[in-house]
Amino acid sequence: MRGTREFALYLEETADLLSLKDGNFFRIRAYRDAANTLMHTEEELSRIAEGEDGRHFEGIGAGMISKIREYLSTGDFREHSELLEKVPRGVLEIMRIPKLGPKKTRVLFEKLGITSVEELRKSIESGRLDSLAGFGDKTVSNILEGIKQLEIYSARILISEADEIASAVLERLRGIRGVKKAQAAGSLRRRKETEGDIDILYTGKRPAREIHEDFIKGLKKKEVISLGEKKASFIWEGSCQVDLRYIEEDEWGAALQYFTGSKEHNVALRKHAVRKGLKVSEYGVFRGGRKIAGKTEEEVYNSLGMQYIHPELRENMGELAAAAAEELPELVAPGDIKGDTHVHSLYSDGTDSIEEIARAAKDIGYEWIAICDHSVSLVIANGLDEKRLMEKKKEIERVRANIRGIDILCGQEVDIRKDGTLDYPDDVLEKLDFVIAAVHTGFTDPEDIITGRIIKAMSSPYVTAVAHLTGRLINEREPYAVDVPRIIDEAARTGTALEINANPQRLDLYYYYAKLAREKGVRLAIGTDSHHRGDLGAMKYGVSVARRGWLEKKDVINTMGAGALRKFLAKKRAGLKEKAGGRA
Ligand code: DGT
Ligand code: CA
Ligand code: CA
């Protein structure tokens, strides 16, 4: 579909290309203004081209309308495509480096043929810019600084960082005179694994511009991007963009719904509304000219004939149909969690003793905790050989006798070796309460090899769960190649659970695979992979992934009491051993 937003991006790009050519200032500004207007409307491009409803589209004149029509019929417009033939997109990226600007970008492109940020960085390092007029030491060091900034703006941040920024911003905002309600929306409210930027909505009884000006006063290292009547954008502490939006009190629910997104959810919601003869916008739900909802989000969804949809579900993965049929899952909640399936102790690479971990877990209110240290092959993480493993088991028994009210499971995170065998023999595994199996080697192997290793490991009656299935480290290491749907089928067949690793840098399984696992009847185990007892709090990120994956209490083994959990663990062992015995 050729959408309004895509067209607006093309306009923006045309304006950039024109500025690179030293084009007419007023024309460039007119394009940017039009792009900005279109970026913020919900209207279909074809309707704008009809010139209907023109009052929303100040700044979209006859010239622009003809470009829109051209775009609608050909997918582009001539001015844009012709400009783009002469200048590669990478050059536009260079122009986005703070403080560089179109003139210098043009020199780099025309004189040295530099067409990407990476090329520019290399050219600086190799001294190609040294003799270029207008690129003295100061300029070059500004460019390097700018490249670093650009990386900050374009990287998505971890949810744990986003949470911290959002609470600091909210605290500051709530402290400003005249601010009433304030809340995070956007991907952070949906609890997405990473955030592109942070969206904050608020209501107030003073002009928003004054509130924004108060807000940015005295910010450390502040970087104000824009300061408008209703919206302000800035970079918080040099790390992430924050958008503040002033919302009218009686439009709060509609705005919260709109700015929580996702965009895909919103598009589908609007279509659903249209079928019912209604119109949804960030201002409310309307029948004809009459507003029928908008003050609360519940009201917005209910007025469209559906259940309230939790933000975590709003990814257009079937939640609208389920809400209309009143068939939404009853999502697992942090309060349902009774234990953690993946915690390291001093025995391998953790920092705390078994007793310290057990007490910390008890303080959280858990009924049990599984201490899973690394196995013998993982030498760099101080993996345990059989002897030390038996010492650990003894110590767990001692601590268990000393601390009442919490069951400590003697677990291990056992390496899946290159040939798919496990890192301890069966007679050792048999002595453990809880085994999570994990791939820590051969990350670059092809998909069938890695998938095969994991499938072989799952066929062991001792393997409770597979840890961090894809091995990704967000912003640091790509996932290794693994056929997740196949693993899910095998997990269902063998009664093996799959881990949702709650470490904010992992969050692995991804939520959509958690959803698929649930649909196939696989249980999920949320493990924080803690190496310090302070990390136990990461459980909430794992629960968010579970909720985004539509999981209910019964789908997550962490919601079992200690007794039920031990029964569950015994079941796989008994079942698979019986099958193996039957075959023999
Ligand atoms: P992010 O920031 O990339 O992690 O993802 P979001 O979902 O927070 O996206 P963002 O910050 O661009 O916008 C916040 C929400 O506002 C988004 O989820 C839906 C809504 N929204 C913003 N701009 C548009 C738009 O042009 N069209 C539609 N349909 N929704 C939009
Ligand atoms: Ca956002
Ligand atoms: Ca935003």
Side-chain angles (χ1 to χ4, degrees), residues 44-194:
E44 299 255 345
L45 201 54
S46 54
R47 283 205 45 194
I48 298 170
E50 286 162 19
E52 269 182 50
D53 222 2
R55 68 200 159 85
H56 286 313
F57 301 109
E58 289 171 26
I60 308 295
M64 196 55 67
I65 299 268
S66 90
K67 281 195 180 35
I68 296 177
R69 290 188 180 141
E70 195 186 337
Y71 171 79
L72 284 170
S73 66
T74 67
D76 205 344
F77 51 93
R78 232 181 46 223
E79 188 177 16
H80 176 256
S81 59
E82 284 178 1
L83 283 165
L84 204 55
E85 262 170 37
K86 298 191 192 97
V87 183
R89 280 206 165 93
V91 177
L92 297 178
E93 189 67 16
I94 294 176
M95 197 165 70
R96 276 179 211 115
I97 297 172
K99 292 195 202 145
L100 189 57
K103 286 207 175 67
K104 288 210 156 59
T105 303
R106 191 169 60 192
V107 173
L108 292 168
F109 173 51
E110 288 177 352
K111 293 254 156 70
L112 299 181
I114 295 175
T115 59
S116 74
V117 175
E118 199 38 47
E119 230 179 297
L120 174 57
R121 190 210 311 269
K122 284 192 186 134
S123 303
I124 291 174
E125 281 163 7
S126 68
R128 274 183 81 203
L129 265 62
D130 290 356
S131 54
L132 195 62
F135 288 81
D137 287 353
K138 181 94 190 106
T139 305
V140 167
S141 88
N142 277 344
I143 293 176
L144 286 174
E145 181 60 26
I147 292 176
K148 229 189 276 162
Q149 294 267 331
L150 192 70
E151 282 166 354
I152 290 172
Y153 300 167
S154 49
R156 299 183 64 81
I157 63 169
L158 303 184
I159 188 171
S160 48
E161 297 164 357
D163 266 351
E164 270 177 34
I165 296 171
S167 25
V169 169
L170 284 169
E171 193 184 308
R172 184 181 178 86
L173 185 62
R174 287 178 183 133
I176 291 173
R177 187 169 59 82
V179 171
K180 292 175 77 183
K181 275 193 280 222
Q183 191 184 330
S187 51
L188 183 60
R189 183 161 179 253
R190 302 198 310 279
R191 306 307 287 159
K192 199 174 150 98
E193 299 97 315
T194 60

Side-chain angles (χ1 to χ4, degrees), residues 502-543:
N503 180 323
Q505 209 184 358
R506 291 191 183 264
L507 299 177
D508 180 11
L509 284 187
Y510 313 160
Y511 74 95
Y512 43 87
Y513 287 137
K515 183 167 189 272
L516 181 62
R518 171 189 188 241
E519 285 160 8
K520 302 273 182 166
V522 174
R523 302 290 189 101
L524 285 299
I526 309 178
T528 58
D529 207 345
S530 291
H531 287 72
H532 182 275
R533 56 194 190 279
D535 303 337
L536 292 171
M539 181 55 71
K540 64 175 182 234
Y541 302 117
V543 174

Side-chain angles (χ1 to χ4, degrees), residues 175-337:
I176 291 173
R177 187 169 59 82
V179 171
K180 292 175 77 183
K181 275 193 280 222
Q183 191 184 330
S187 51
L188 183 60
R189 183 161 179 253
R190 302 198 310 279
R191 306 307 287 159
K192 199 174 150 98
E193 299 97 315
T194 60
E195 279 60 40
D197 69 7
I198 293 176
D199 305 279
I200 305 278
L201 309 183
Y202 72 94
T203 65
K205 28 181 212 271
R206 255 173 91 205
R209 180 175 271 280
E210 289 176 22
I211 290 175
H212 296 159
E213 271 162 12
D214 278 359
F215 187 93
I216 61 169
K217 245 183 247 163
L219 276 194
K220 259 193 296 166
K221 289 196 251 163
K222 67 168 187 258
E223 178 127 33
V224 178
I225 299 170
S226 67
L227 205 56
E229 292 301 327
K230 295 277 154 106
K231 184 185 161 196
S233 294
F234 53 88
I235 303 291
W236 181 259
E237 311 247 317
S239 68
C240 175
Q241 178 170 336
V242 178
D243 293 339
L244 283 185
R245 280 194 184 79
Y246 170 86
I247 305 297
E248 298 291 345
E249 197 81 46
D250 61 347
E251 292 166 353
W252 178 256
L256 191 57
Q257 194 289 316
Y258 178 86
F259 289 111
T260 295
S262 66
K263 193 177 159 205
E264 293 73 16
H265 173 88
N266 287 354
V267 168
L269 188 72
R270 272 198 309 280
K271 278 196 193 132
H272 173 93
V274 167
R275 281 197 297 271
K276 293 192 152 260
L278 302 169
K279 184 174 185 298
V280 199
S281 74
E282 60 186 285
Y283 307 111
V285 182
F286 299 86
R287 175 174 282 124
R290 200 169 63 86
K291 183 163 160 179
I292 60 165
K295 211 168 161 47
T296 67
E297 262 190 335
E298 282 79 0
E299 203 180 281
V300 168
Y301 285 105
N302 293 342
S303 74
L304 295 166
M306 51 178 87
Q307 284 176 289
Y308 173 74
I309 301 176
H310 287 291
E312 294 93 328
L313 297 180
R314 301 183 195 168
E315 299 293 346
N316 197 29
M317 298 208 307
E319 71 277 12
L320 291 173
E326 304 210 357
E327 282 169 1
L328 283 176
E330 207 166 299
L331 299 182
V332 61
D336 297 328
I337 302 298

Side-chain angles (χ1 to χ4, degrees), residues 436-461:
I436 51 181
V439 168
H440 289 118
T441 49
F443 291 169
T444 55
D445 285 348
E447 182 178 284
D448 54 333
I449 301 279
I450 299 182
T451 306
R453 281 166 72 191
I454 298 172
I455 287 177
K456 187 162 172 193
M458 285 193 296
S459 73
S460 161

Side-chain angles (χ1 to χ4, degrees), residues 470-527:
T470 77
R472 73 157 169 186
L473 290 177
I474 297 171
N475 291 341
E476 223 174 275
R477 187 172 76 205
E478 290 297 305
Y480 36 74
V482 47
D483 184 346
V484 182
R486 232 186 110 201
I487 300 278
I488 288 173
D489 285 340
E490 277 307 300
R493 200 181 62 78
T494 55
T496 312
L498 293 175
E499 179 183 79
I500 292 175
N501 191 295
N503 180 323
Q505 209 184 358
R506 291 191 183 264
L507 299 177
D508 180 11
L509 284 187
Y510 313 160
Y511 74 95
Y512 43 87
Y513 287 137
K515 183 167 189 272
L516 181 62
R518 171 189 188 241
E519 285 160 8
K520 302 273 182 166
V522 174
R523 302 290 189 101
L524 285 299
I526 309 178

Side-chain angles (χ1 to χ4, degrees), residues 361-380:
K362 198 181 160 186
D363 286 346
I364 294 174
Y366 287 163
E367 288 184 23
W368 53 266
I369 185 112
I371 316 266
C372 295
D373 286 296
H374 287 292
S375 62
V376 59
S377 290
L378 210 61
V379 177
I380 51 161

